[in-house]
Amino acid sequence: MEKILIIEDDKTILMGLKDDLEFEGYRVSSAMDGKQGLKKALDGNFHLIILDILLPGLNGFEVCKKLRESGISTPILMLTAAKTEEMDKVTGLELGADDYVTKPIGTREMVARVKAILRRVVQNEDALETYEFRDVSVNFKSHEVTKAGKIIHLTALEFSLLKFFIEHKGEVLTRDAMLDEAWGDAIVSPRTIDPHIVHLRQKLEDDPANPRHFVSIRGVGYKFNG
C-alpha cells in the first residue's frame, strides 16, 4: 500500500488526517515541523506528501522548494488557510506543488484528492516508454524528461499532464477533460489547470511566451503539437 507523509504542526488536524488515511489503508508517517518534515521527505520513499504551509522551522513553501531543488518529484498536496487561499495556491504551484486543499479539511474531499493523485502516479508507471519532440525527450518508465540533454524536473501532476497531451497529440483538449485526468472526482475550478500549463511551457518550450507545442485554443482549452 502507498506511503504518505503528513507535515502538519496542528496535532488535531494531523491526527485526524492520519486516522482517515490509515482507515483507507494507506501507511502514514508524520512530522510536526518543517525541518523534521524535510528530512523525512528526503530520506523516505513516499508516494505522496501532504504539506501544511504555516510550519515552525521551515514553512511549507521552503520545504516544497528544497524538495524540488533536490530532485524529489513525489507529489505534494499543500494545505492552505482560507483567508490566504488564492495567494498561497499560486505560490505553491509556482514552487512545484501538485495540488492544494483549503482548511478546514473535509474527509471526503481529502480522500478524493489523495486517491486522484495516487491514481495518476500508478497510471504514469504503466503507459508509453519514450517520446521525443524537438530537443525534448520523455522516458515514461524512469519519469525522466530532458531538454537539449539537460534533465528537467517536472512535478507528478506536470508529468501526468505531459503524458496526457502526448497521448492526445493534435487533439483539442478541454480543461474539463484535463481535470478529469489530473484530479479525478475532486471538485476544482477548470482554471486550476492553467498554472500547470504555464509551467510546462516555461520548462519545455524554447519561447514560453510564444508556445509552439502547448497551444491555447481560445474558449476551449489546449492542444499539443508534438
Side-chain angles (χ1 to χ4, degrees):
M1 180 54 70
E2 293 90 344
K3 291 171 58 181
I4 298 174
L5 173 63
I6 304 173
I7 309 174
E8 166 63 66
D9 67 324
D10 185 313
K11 190 172 182 179
T12 301
I13 294 176
L14 174 61
M15 296 311 297
L17 286 174
K18 191 171 186 294
D19 288 346
D20 291 339
L21 294 172
E22 286 180 340
F23 180 79
E24 293 292 326
Y26 299 110
R27 290 179 291 161
V28 182
S29 296
S30 63
M32 295 187 68
D33 66 70
K35 289 183 178 179
Q36 181 190 26
L38 176 61
K39 185 177 186 306
K40 283 194 174 185
L42 291 171
D43 293 343
N45 186 21
F46 295 98
H47 297 88
L48 172 66
I49 298 168
I50 298 175
L51 177 61
D52 187 29
I53 291 174
L54 298 176
L55 292 168
L58 294 173
N59 66 42
F61 294 139
E62 294 171 313
V63 173
C64 182
K65 181 179 179 181
K66 288 180 181 295
L67 287 174
R68 294 307 186 223
E69 289 175 345
S70 299
I72 301 295
S73 59
T74 302
I76 295 175
L77 174 59
M78 299 198 86
L79 306 180
T80 179
K83 63 181 180 180
T84 57
E85 175 183 350
E86 190 62 32
M87 182 174 64
D88 285 351
K89 172 190 171 183
V90 172
T91 303
L93 294 178
E94 287 177 346
L95 291 174
D98 294 88
D99 199 0
Y100 78 102
V101 172
T102 304
K103 296 179 181 179
I105 306 156
T107 299
R108 290 182 64 187
E109 179 184 7
M110 175 56 76
V111 171
R113 296 288 183 96
V114 167
K115 287 183 176 179
I117 292 172
L118 293 176
R119 184 168 59 246
R120 290 200 311 267
V121 174
V122 172
Q123 288 171 345
N124 284 340
E125 290 173 351
D126 295 326
L128 304 168
E129 290 194 10
T130 60
Y131 186 86
E132 295 183 358
F133 59 99
R134 285 184 67 85
D135 60 348
V136 176
S137 177
V138 184
N139 187 313
F140 292 98
K141 292 295 183 181
S142 64
H143 285 216
E144 185 176 86
V145 179
T146 62
K147 179 173 173 59
K150 180 181 177 182
I151 292 178
I152 304 297
H153 295 295
L154 300 185
T155 68
L157 191 142
E158 289 165 0
F159 195 90
S160 179
L161 287 175
L162 175 60
K163 173 176 171 286
F164 190 61
F165 272 125
I166 290 170
E167 289 176 337
H168 298 273
K169 175 183 173 182
E171 299 178 28
V172 177
L173 302 174
T174 66
R175 289 180 175 84
D176 285 338
M178 287 186 282
L179 282 177
D180 287 342
E181 170 70 14
W183 276 273
D185 297 329
I187 300 173
V188 292
S189 166
R191 287 291 174 182
T192 302
I193 211 78
D194 295 343
H196 298 286
I197 306 302
V198 170
H199 293 162
L200 283 176
R201 287 172 174 169
Q202 291 171 341
K203 294 176 179 180
L204 302 179
E205 294 276 6
D206 291 334
D207 182 4
N210 297 286
R212 66 175 289 177
H213 300 296
F214 305 95
V215 181
S216 297
I217 305 299
R218 179 171 234 159
V220 182
Y222 296 94
K223 181 172 72 170
F224 174 68
N225 297 317

